[in-house]
Amino acid sequence: MLPDLSMKNQKMNYHNLSSSEIYQILNTSKDGLDRSEVKKRLIKYGKNELVQKKKVSVFDLILHQFKDVMIFILFLAAAISYFVGDSKDTIVILIIVLLNALIGFVQEYRAEKAMEALNKMSSLHATIRRSGHIIQVAATEVIPGDIVILEAGMLVPADLRLTASHALKIEEASLTGESHAVNKTPEKFSIENTPLGDRKNMAYKSTVITNGRGEGVVVATGMNTEIGRIAQLLQEEKVKTPLQKRLADFAKKLSFAVIGICIALFIAGWSRGEEPVQMLLTAISVAVAAIPEALPAVITIALALGAKRMVRKNALIRKLPAAETLGSVSYICTDKTGTITQNKMKVSDCWISPEIQGIENLEAEQTLLLAMELNHDVVTTEQNQLKGDPTETALVEYTRNNKGYNPSWQNEFKRAHEFPFDSVRKKMTTVYPMNGKWIVVTKGAVERLLEISKTENSNEIDTVTRNFAEQGKRVLAYAVKVIEKLPEEKSAEKFECNLQFIGLAAMIDPPRAEAIEAIANCHAAGIRLVMLTGDHPVTAKAIAKTTGILQDPSDKIITG
């Protein structure tokens, strides 16, 4: 029996279930689905792609420009003008109506094309296991119950419940807005209403794997995925803007008023003995003259100019009347990462322990730089670009741009052993041969490195770490040791002990210069700003103060 995975049954918290429970619910196994089951599920669940409710045709877009009460009145006025012999007014009115429609059509056509770009976020291929064999298929052919194999550099093809993770990190900025990659684990979580960004045993469609490898069971495809929900929000029924409501109301009132005046004028003239036909023509002429035929065109042109100015600022107005609603804004709720900040980690400070004297003829600063160069999984592409975890990329960029850096280190040191970062140890260790000896470099959380290091100034390290954190910075610690020979047992515990604590690297996702200017303009316009972020309150407060969002002592930081 095929599981029911329709939208109404998507409230199941897969992150609260164990791997065995997931296999049972989805009627699958670690070996994946067999061929007959694949055919059934493709028929039941459909292709794994984002679909539009109904693609808007060019004809529909053109027709939409004429679906307005004022436009109907103008067409009526043009027809009346033609029948009473005033062809000039007819031509003028029709030109204005067509100009109005052309401007609206061009704007909305461009916007619709831009919205279609969301589909391009999907991956092209996926590596899966079916009937015990690993194969590659088109990402659109992935179905619930499939076992997906994940490796660094891939896009996640569907929403998955992870069943295995080996130093797996996934960058989920497209869903959560967080700039740093998330460490993933296959362990289940006991908390039911865990926020999306904290579900570390889940992987979501269109997110990017930056490090490690793993595998997971597909629990949702296509429009049932989290990215699919976003696509659905863009397809919901449109509501009228305040301007559209006011124009519709004005058109109705104007129609009743003009009709009333014309009837009154006709009755008054007829009662005085005027010819009925002559009075009818007079009343019709008054009606045509009373209709402001230029109003729709003037409004459309004004909105089009506003939309054009927004495009210059890289903001897309999908429907022209939406440009008017911006004038009514009193509050703006904004994401932090990638909106206020650059969504790119950058090393802002380094602190070197006063205890360290350097190793193997290297000064203290060079020892820290060497550690930062050796302990990472970043690779350099043929285009000389760094590829990998955003945090590690920032560390390597800082190191290689430092005047104390020695470029020969890249070729001189060949990695012998590695113990990848995991969420339990909270550290990563690499081992390299060095002048007939071995250098062990460990990077990780400050408190974990203090536990395995020989140092007498832990209080000072804690103070420096706290100061960095209060400035909204993420802190990583480094420790090293040089050993004569490798231990027989190649375990992390054997290497991660009796280290020399060498220093700290503090990183921040720096604010955008244009965001600071925009925030100042908002305050000047009387608009209140609210920053929404999944970051720690201390980090959020630091960014809010730096950018000018947090100004008044009464401004609050709320968690929940």
Side-chain angles (χ1 to χ4, degrees), residues 398-418:
Y398 173 84
T399 304
R400 295 182 181 178
N401 290 327
N402 196 290
K403 62 181 181 181
Y405 175 73
N406 186 344
S408 66
W409 290 343
Q410 294 185 46
N411 299 319
E412 182 180 342
F413 291 90
K414 303 296 181 184
R415 186 173 300 185
H417 296 283
E418 175 185 348

Side-chain angles (χ1 to χ4, degrees), residues 43 49 60 181 196 290 316 335 340 358 495:
I43 294 171
E49 57 188 2
D60 288 335
L196 184 72
L316 179 68
D335 178 39
I340 292 176
F495 285 96

Side-chain angles (χ1 to χ4, degrees), residues 318-340:
R318 191 178 189 187
K319 300 289 183 182
L320 274 179
E324 173 267 339
T325 60
L326 295 172
S328 306
V329 171
S330 56
Y331 273 82
I332 293 178
C333 294
T334 175
D335 178 39
K336 177 185 76 70
T337 308
T339 306
I340 292 176

Side-chain angles (χ1 to χ4, degrees), residues 471-530:
Q471 297 170 36
K473 297 173 182 177
R474 185 184 181 198
V475 184
L476 284 175
Y478 284 89
V480 300
K481 70 176 177 180
V482 176
I483 55 178
E484 296 292 336
K485 63 177 183 177
L486 298 177
E488 292 183 7
E489 183 185 341
K490 305 298 188 297
S491 64
E493 291 77 14
K494 292 294 182 180
F495 285 96
E496 294 172 350
C497 61
N498 299 319
L499 297 168
Q500 186 178 5
F501 195 98
I502 54 175
L504 306 171
M507 290 164 288
I508 194 168
D509 184 4
R512 293 178 181 270
E514 61 270 28
I516 296 174
E517 182 183 353
I519 289 166
N521 290 337
C522 286
H523 284 305
I527 299 173
R528 296 295 302 274
L529 280 158
V530 179

